[in-house]
Amino acid sequence: MPGPRISLAQLHRATGAARPAPPAQAPFSGQWRFDLQQVDGSSHPTVADLSECLFFSPGDGRIWLQDQRMVLMHAEALGGLRRELIETMGLDKARGLLTRMGYLSGARDAELVRRQWPDAEPPVAAVAGTRLHALEGVVKVEVVRVSYDAATGDYQGEFLWHNSSEDDEHIAVYGVGGSPACWMQTGYATGYVSTLFGRLVLFREVACRSAGDAQCRVIGRSVELWDDPQEDLRYLQLGEDGPDAEPAAAPLDAWTERGAAGGQDPTLVGASSAFNAAFHMVRRVAPTPATVLFTGESGVGKEMFARSLHRSSDRAGQPFIAINCAAIPETLIESELFGVERGAFTGAGASRPGRFERADGGTLFLDEIGTLSLVAQGKLLRALQEGEIERVGGTRTLRVNVRLAAATNENLRAAVREGRFREDLFYRLNVFPIHLPPLRERRDDIPLLMQHFLDHYRERYQRDVPGFSQRAVKALFNYGFPGNIRELQNLIERAVIMVNDGELIDVHQLFRGGEELGEGVLSLQAEGGTGGRLVGTPEGTAVGATQMPGQTLESAEQQWIAAALRRTGGNMAAAARQLGITRATLLYRARRHGLPVGRNARP
Ligand SMILES: [Zn+2]
């Protein structure tokens, strides 16, 4: 298996990898309100505190770092894995994998520190990561300087790395030369500090023993403070631009009528293993014509993944047509899907094509497919089996070439057992199922998503919002996100609108919509001082955010829905998005509260 010994420089030429890591930018500048040079060995958690989290339990074959299972492994074995990765996948992909592996490890350690020492000052908690990294036997970290500006949330740090285990293994195989090689460690630092601060803090190795320097030197900065973070982000984030990315496909406006303008940012963001697993499945199936069934709770991003599937396929230049089956009245679904000929029924004044025809050559995405009536299911099955459709009221048979992606948040097998879903259609759809995890199972992605949505809404609303307060970060990590990514997106959109320019987002700007807050979030909210503070409700009156005297949950819900409908001019889809619920749920609840939804109920 081992190949001839080659230098890293040769390897770079062979793999065409760009030479990364330009020298550090201008040194630290600005007024730092908290300088960490004073943090000494006695600030908690100390190395001794952290060591006490480590338990060996050989009797049952386990090692624990508090509640996380650890493995004691030969550095050489890890080095062997690293070498095989480089030689089979190329330097670029191997680097991406190891960076993300380090990121996960760092994110876990940050959660440990946050849980065990909830009162540690942010900069002290940040330094605890360097101690954990040393305790785990990875590298000895020497802090050169670390600064954290509590007002802006900006972070900058500079460190020296001694005895890097990755360098030892890299140099043993490839010798010295080329570019920095402490990829996993850089990922760890990024994952640790980003998770702690709830915003992306990118680390870059600007000097490395593997590159011939005397020691490794790393710089960490909030992502906005880097001039050129794209290269680093590429390794970190297996999004559309990840190292595995296919060549860029169709232009934005060709995707669909509901493009980025509809408020849905097209980029998939994530680095967690659950996210990566789903993403790899999409990449794997994309080039085939197979039908894909996305499953998962509401708000996990099923349509985003379907779009990604389309963009990675050879149909990328053709239309992507999405339809939410739950949003179309049963009487109209057939004409929506298959089109209608003039005069087919009252009101059909002109012939028009259905979604199948419009998706010809491209991808058709049917969301909430479990809500289709049995009649519509039968027609859909025929379209899939025969590859042909008939418009409602028409006599011509039209051939269509459509790749189908479907999604559901219910258990279709159970629906089949209960007779609500056709078994033959189920098997037709379930060719390649991809389960998308809820946000609570990919918590490592929360800081990346927070950063992503913050950037998005800052830009969209032209707001100068530097970031999140530490309290807000903790609250978001403690929250259960029943509405998943869409809910996180809504919370951040709302907060960006609420917060004053130049101020950090705090807890009370995030949680205002009647979320069911657990103890962990409630205490932070109380601590946030909303108690005596007056904040606006959707009605524009002022009441305390944590208590709404004289209001039942029912009437509060009615007011929120009415306010959202007013804000969006009755646009159901937009109002549903703002409220973090599906359009079908909104319709149901609005009707239950007797709110007018008539004409606007049409998509
Ligand atoms: Zn290094």
Side-chain angles (χ1 to χ4, degrees), residues 510-535:
L510 285 166
F511 297 100
R512 311 168 45 88
E515 294 82 8
E516 283 188 20
L517 305 178
E519 195 45 47
V521 181
L522 280 174
S523 60
L524 288 161
Q525 196 179 42
E527 189 185 308
T530 48
R533 186 164 172 175
L534 295 182
V535 290

PDB file of all heavy atoms in Angstrom, residues 510-535:
ATOM      1  N   LEU A 510     -34.071  37.223  20.815  1.00  0.00           N
ATOM      2  CA  LEU A 510     -34.211  35.949  20.103  1.00  0.00           C
ATOM      3  C   LEU A 510     -35.546  35.277  20.407  1.00  0.00           C
ATOM      4  O   LEU A 510     -36.277  34.887  19.511  1.00  0.00           O
ATOM      5  CB  LEU A 510     -33.087  34.995  20.511  1.00  0.00           C
ATOM      6  CG  LEU A 510     -31.703  35.275  19.940  1.00  0.00           C
ATOM      7  CD1 LEU A 510     -30.665  34.475  20.705  1.00  0.00           C
ATOM      8  CD2 LEU A 510     -31.641  34.934  18.466  1.00  0.00           C
ATOM      9  N   PHE A 511     -35.839  35.142  21.715  1.00  0.00           N
ATOM     10  CA  PHE A 511     -36.998  34.346  22.105  1.00  0.00           C
ATOM     11  C   PHE A 511     -38.155  35.258  22.468  1.00  0.00           C
ATOM     12  O   PHE A 511     -38.220  35.772  23.564  1.00  0.00           O
ATOM     13  CB  PHE A 511     -36.634  33.431  23.277  1.00  0.00           C
ATOM     14  CG  PHE A 511     -35.583  32.428  22.921  1.00  0.00           C
ATOM     15  CD1 PHE A 511     -34.268  32.620  23.277  1.00  0.00           C
ATOM     16  CD2 PHE A 511     -35.924  31.304  22.182  1.00  0.00           C
ATOM     17  CE1 PHE A 511     -33.298  31.691  22.928  1.00  0.00           C
ATOM     18  CE2 PHE A 511     -34.956  30.374  21.830  1.00  0.00           C
ATOM     19  CZ  PHE A 511     -33.641  30.568  22.206  1.00  0.00           C
ATOM     20  N   ARG A 512     -39.030  35.472  21.531  1.00  0.00           N
ATOM     21  CA  ARG A 512     -40.150  36.358  21.761  1.00  0.00           C
ATOM     22  C   ARG A 512     -41.442  35.771  21.242  1.00  0.00           C
ATOM     23  O   ARG A 512     -42.491  36.335  21.430  1.00  0.00           O
ATOM     24  CB  ARG A 512     -39.938  37.690  21.044  1.00  0.00           C
ATOM     25  CG  ARG A 512     -38.605  38.327  21.258  1.00  0.00           C
ATOM     26  CD  ARG A 512     -38.421  39.457  20.279  1.00  0.00           C
ATOM     27  NE  ARG A 512     -39.613  40.281  20.203  1.00  0.00           N
ATOM     28  CZ  ARG A 512     -39.857  41.302  20.993  1.00  0.00           C
ATOM     29  NH1 ARG A 512     -39.007  41.624  21.919  1.00  0.00           N
ATOM     30  NH2 ARG A 512     -40.954  42.005  20.849  1.00  0.00           N
ATOM     31  N   GLY A 513     -41.363  34.650  20.567  1.00  0.00           N
ATOM     32  CA  GLY A 513     -42.542  34.181  19.844  1.00  0.00           C
ATOM     33  C   GLY A 513     -43.273  33.060  20.540  1.00  0.00           C
ATOM     34  O   GLY A 513     -43.938  32.271  19.907  1.00  0.00           O
ATOM     35  N   GLY A 514     -43.152  32.954  21.868  1.00  0.00           N
ATOM     36  CA  GLY A 514     -43.883  31.908  22.575  1.00  0.00           C
ATOM     37  C   GLY A 514     -43.218  30.558  22.474  1.00  0.00           C
ATOM     38  O   GLY A 514     -43.874  29.527  22.558  1.00  0.00           O
ATOM     39  N   GLU A 515     -41.877  30.530  22.268  1.00  0.00           N
ATOM     40  CA  GLU A 515     -41.180  29.251  22.238  1.00  0.00           C
ATOM     41  C   GLU A 515     -41.302  28.576  23.604  1.00  0.00           C
ATOM     42  O   GLU A 515     -41.371  29.234  24.629  1.00  0.00           O
ATOM     43  CB  GLU A 515     -39.685  29.446  21.928  1.00  0.00           C
ATOM     44  CG  GLU A 515     -39.395  29.974  20.544  1.00  0.00           C
ATOM     45  CD  GLU A 515     -39.538  31.483  20.449  1.00  0.00           C
ATOM     46  OE1 GLU A 515     -39.712  32.120  21.501  1.00  0.00           O
ATOM     47  OE2 GLU A 515     -39.486  32.001  19.332  1.00  0.00           O
ATOM     48  N   GLU A 516     -41.299  27.264  23.578  1.00  0.00           N
ATOM     49  CA  GLU A 516     -41.299  26.534  24.843  1.00  0.00           C
ATOM     50  C   GLU A 516     -39.868  26.442  25.319  1.00  0.00           C
ATOM     51  O   GLU A 516     -39.086  25.629  24.832  1.00  0.00           O
ATOM     52  CB  GLU A 516     -41.884  25.142  24.642  1.00  0.00           C
ATOM     53  CG  GLU A 516     -43.383  25.182  24.540  1.00  0.00           C
ATOM     54  CD  GLU A 516     -43.989  23.799  24.526  1.00  0.00           C
ATOM     55  OE1 GLU A 516     -43.329  22.854  24.965  1.00  0.00           O
ATOM     56  OE2 GLU A 516     -45.130  23.700  24.065  1.00  0.00           O
ATOM     57  N   LEU A 517     -39.544  27.295  26.270  1.00  0.00           N
ATOM     58  CA  LEU A 517     -38.156  27.370  26.695  1.00  0.00           C
ATOM     59  C   LEU A 517     -37.917  26.444  27.877  1.00  0.00           C
ATOM     60  O   LEU A 517     -38.674  26.436  28.828  1.00  0.00           O
ATOM     61  CB  LEU A 517     -37.811  28.802  27.094  1.00  0.00           C
ATOM     62  CG  LEU A 517     -38.092  29.841  26.011  1.00  0.00           C
ATOM     63  CD1 LEU A 517     -37.766  31.227  26.515  1.00  0.00           C
ATOM     64  CD2 LEU A 517     -37.288  29.539  24.762  1.00  0.00           C
ATOM     65  N   GLY A 518     -36.861  25.694  27.792  1.00  0.00           N
ATOM     66  CA  GLY A 518     -36.477  24.831  28.912  1.00  0.00           C
ATOM     67  C   GLY A 518     -35.852  25.666  30.013  1.00  0.00           C
ATOM     68  O   GLY A 518     -35.627  26.865  29.874  1.00  0.00           O
ATOM     69  N   GLU A 519     -35.578  24.988  31.121  1.00  0.00           N
ATOM     70  CA  GLU A 519     -35.011  25.669  32.281  1.00  0.00           C
ATOM     71  C   GLU A 519     -33.736  26.427  31.911  1.00  0.00           C
ATOM     72  O   GLU A 519     -33.542  27.568  32.300  1.00  0.00           O
ATOM     73  CB  GLU A 519     -34.726  24.614  33.361  1.00  0.00           C
ATOM     74  CG  GLU A 519     -34.477  25.173  34.742  1.00  0.00           C
ATOM     75  CD  GLU A 519     -35.483  26.237  35.125  1.00  0.00           C
ATOM     76  OE1 GLU A 519     -36.704  26.053  34.940  1.00  0.00           O
ATOM     77  OE2 GLU A 519     -35.012  27.287  35.609  1.00  0.00           O
ATOM     78  N   GLY A 520     -32.890  25.769  31.104  1.00  0.00           N
ATOM     79  CA  GLY A 520     -31.600  26.356  30.749  1.00  0.00           C
ATOM     80  C   GLY A 520     -31.744  27.692  30.055  1.00  0.00           C
ATOM     81  O   GLY A 520     -30.950  28.600  30.263  1.00  0.00           O
ATOM     82  N   VAL A 521     -32.757  27.812  29.200  1.00  0.00           N
ATOM     83  CA  VAL A 521     -32.940  29.059  28.463  1.00  0.00           C
ATOM     84  C   VAL A 521     -33.653  30.091  29.337  1.00  0.00           C
ATOM     85  O   VAL A 521     -33.307  31.269  29.348  1.00  0.00           O
ATOM     86  CB  VAL A 521     -33.721  28.814  27.157  1.00  0.00           C
ATOM     87  CG1 VAL A 521     -33.878  30.105  26.392  1.00  0.00           C
ATOM     88  CG2 VAL A 521     -33.010  27.779  26.310  1.00  0.00           C
ATOM     89  N   LEU A 522     -34.648  29.607  30.107  1.00  0.00           N
ATOM     90  CA  LEU A 522     -35.428  30.537  30.928  1.00  0.00           C
ATOM     91  C   LEU A 522     -34.550  31.300  31.918  1.00  0.00           C
ATOM     92  O   LEU A 522     -34.701  32.500  32.099  1.00  0.00           O
ATOM     93  CB  LEU A 522     -36.515  29.771  31.693  1.00  0.00           C
ATOM     94  CG  LEU A 522     -37.760  29.445  30.868  1.00  0.00           C
ATOM     95  CD1 LEU A 522     -38.696  28.567  31.667  1.00  0.00           C
ATOM     96  CD2 LEU A 522     -38.468  30.719  30.425  1.00  0.00           C
ATOM     97  N   SER A 523     -33.616  30.579  32.531  1.00  0.00           N
ATOM     98  CA  SER A 523     -32.776  31.255  33.515  1.00  0.00           C
ATOM     99  C   SER A 523     -31.924  32.313  32.834  1.00  0.00           C
ATOM    100  O   SER A 523     -31.710  33.396  33.358  1.00  0.00           O
ATOM    101  CB  SER A 523     -31.906  30.248  34.256  1.00  0.00           C
ATOM    102  OG  SER A 523     -31.070  29.571  33.346  1.00  0.00           O
ATOM    103  N   LEU A 524     -31.459  32.024  31.628  1.00  0.00           N
ATOM    104  CA  LEU A 524     -30.646  32.993  30.905  1.00  0.00           C
ATOM    105  C   LEU A 524     -31.485  34.205  30.513  1.00  0.00           C
ATOM    106  O   LEU A 524     -31.031  35.338  30.530  1.00  0.00           O
ATOM    107  CB  LEU A 524     -30.062  32.357  29.648  1.00  0.00           C
ATOM    108  CG  LEU A 524     -28.957  31.344  29.903  1.00  0.00           C
ATOM    109  CD1 LEU A 524     -28.771  30.442  28.703  1.00  0.00           C
ATOM    110  CD2 LEU A 524     -27.661  32.062  30.223  1.00  0.00           C
ATOM    111  N   GLN A 525     -32.745  33.905  30.173  1.00  0.00           N
ATOM    112  CA  GLN A 525     -33.624  34.992  29.755  1.00  0.00           C
ATOM    113  C   GLN A 525     -33.892  35.914  30.946  1.00  0.00           C
ATOM    114  O   GLN A 525     -33.855  37.131  30.822  1.00  0.00           O
ATOM    115  CB  GLN A 525     -34.929  34.416  29.230  1.00  0.00           C
ATOM    116  CG  GLN A 525     -35.725  35.409  28.438  1.00  0.00           C
ATOM    117  CD  GLN A 525     -36.991  34.779  27.912  1.00  0.00           C
ATOM    118  OE1 GLN A 525     -37.662  34.033  28.624  1.00  0.00           O
ATOM    119  NE2 GLN A 525     -37.327  35.084  26.678  1.00  0.00           N
ATOM    120  N   ALA A 526     -34.122  35.293  32.121  1.00  0.00           N
ATOM    121  CA  ALA A 526     -34.366  36.091  33.314  1.00  0.00           C
ATOM    122  C   ALA A 526     -33.133  36.935  33.630  1.00  0.00           C
ATOM    123  O   ALA A 526     -33.216  38.129  33.889  1.00  0.00           O
ATOM    124  CB  ALA A 526     -34.692  35.182  34.485  1.00  0.00           C
ATOM    125  N   GLU A 527     -31.991  36.290  33.492  1.00  0.00           N
ATOM    126  CA  GLU A 527     -30.715  36.950  33.753  1.00  0.00           C
ATOM    127  C   GLU A 527     -30.514  38.104  32.776  1.00  0.00           C
ATOM    128  O   GLU A 527     -29.877  39.090  33.069  1.00  0.00           O
ATOM    129  CB  GLU A 527     -29.638  35.892  33.527  1.00  0.00           C
ATOM    130  CG  GLU A 527     -28.243  36.215  33.913  1.00  0.00           C
ATOM    131  CD  GLU A 527     -27.365  35.044  33.467  1.00  0.00           C
ATOM    132  OE1 GLU A 527     -27.692  33.890  33.824  1.00  0.00           O
ATOM    133  OE2 GLU A 527     -26.410  35.286  32.733  1.00  0.00           O
ATOM    134  N   GLY A 528     -31.113  37.960  31.591  1.00  0.00           N
ATOM    135  CA  GLY A 528     -30.947  38.972  30.559  1.00  0.00           C
ATOM    136  C   GLY A 528     -31.634  40.273  30.893  1.00  0.00           C
ATOM    137  O   GLY A 528     -31.516  41.248  30.167  1.00  0.00           O
ATOM    138  N   GLY A 529     -32.373  40.309  31.997  1.00  0.00           N
ATOM    139  CA  GLY A 529     -32.927  41.574  32.464  1.00  0.00           C
ATOM    140  C   GLY A 529     -34.174  41.999  31.734  1.00  0.00           C
ATOM    141  O   GLY A 529     -34.486  43.176  31.683  1.00  0.00           O
ATOM    142  N   THR A 530     -34.895  41.043  31.151  1.00  0.00           N
ATOM    143  CA  THR A 530     -36.123  41.448  30.479  1.00  0.00           C
ATOM    144  C   THR A 530     -37.227  41.689  31.494  1.00  0.00           C
ATOM    145  O   THR A 530     -38.257  42.225  31.148  1.00  0.00           O
ATOM    146  CB  THR A 530     -36.609  40.369  29.497  1.00  0.00           C
ATOM    147  OG1 THR A 530     -36.585  39.122  30.169  1.00  0.00           O
ATOM    148  CG2 THR A 530     -35.756  40.329  28.278  1.00  0.00           C
ATOM    149  N   GLY A 531     -36.995  41.283  32.746  1.00  0.00           N
ATOM    150  CA  GLY A 531     -38.022  41.374  33.765  1.00  0.00           C
ATOM    151  C   GLY A 531     -38.742  42.708  33.789  1.00  0.00           C
ATOM    152  O   GLY A 531     -39.922  42.789  33.500  1.00  0.00           O
ATOM    153  N   GLY A 532     -37.997  43.779  34.087  1.00  0.00           N
ATOM    154  CA  GLY A 532     -38.665  45.062  34.191  1.00  0.00           C
ATOM    155  C   GLY A 532     -38.706  45.817  32.880  1.00  0.00           C
ATOM    156  O   GLY A 532     -39.263  46.887  32.787  1.00  0.00           O
ATOM    157  N   ARG A 533     -38.127  45.223  31.869  1.00  0.00           N
ATOM    158  CA  ARG A 533     -37.946  45.964  30.634  1.00  0.00           C
ATOM    159  C   ARG A 533     -39.178  45.848  29.747  1.00  0.00           C
ATOM    160  O   ARG A 533     -39.802  44.813  29.661  1.00  0.00           O
ATOM    161  CB  ARG A 533     -36.754  45.367  29.918  1.00  0.00           C
ATOM    162  CG  ARG A 533     -36.354  46.127  28.695  1.00  0.00           C
ATOM    163  CD  ARG A 533     -34.978  45.671  28.327  1.00  0.00           C
ATOM    164  NE  ARG A 533     -34.607  46.225  27.053  1.00  0.00           N
ATOM    165  CZ  ARG A 533     -33.414  46.059  26.525  1.00  0.00           C
ATOM    166  NH1 ARG A 533     -32.517  45.362  27.164  1.00  0.00           N
ATOM    167  NH2 ARG A 533     -33.134  46.593  25.367  1.00  0.00           N
ATOM    168  N   LEU A 534     -39.513  46.924  29.079  1.00  0.00           N
ATOM    169  CA  LEU A 534     -40.684  46.886  28.219  1.00  0.00           C
ATOM    170  C   LEU A 534     -40.257  46.585  26.790  1.00  0.00           C
ATOM    171  O   LEU A 534     -39.361  47.203  26.249  1.00  0.00           O
ATOM    172  CB  LEU A 534     -41.400  48.234  28.265  1.00  0.00           C
ATOM    173  CG  LEU A 534     -41.995  48.576  29.631  1.00  0.00           C
ATOM    174  CD1 LEU A 534     -42.712  49.894  29.561  1.00  0.00           C
ATOM    175  CD2 LEU A 534     -42.937  47.481  30.095  1.00  0.00           C
ATOM    176  N   VAL A 535     -40.900  45.600  26.226  1.00  0.00           N
ATOM    177  CA  VAL A 535     -40.597  45.282  24.832  1.00  0.00           C
ATOM    178  C   VAL A 535     -41.896  45.208  24.061  1.00  0.00           C
ATOM    179  O   VAL A 535     -42.950  44.961  24.626  1.00  0.00           O
ATOM    180  CB  VAL A 535     -39.852  43.940  24.717  1.00  0.00           C
ATOM    181  CG1 VAL A 535     -38.451  44.081  25.264  1.00  0.00           C
ATOM    182  CG2 VAL A 535     -40.593  42.846  25.455  1.00  0.00           C
TER     183      VAL A 535
END
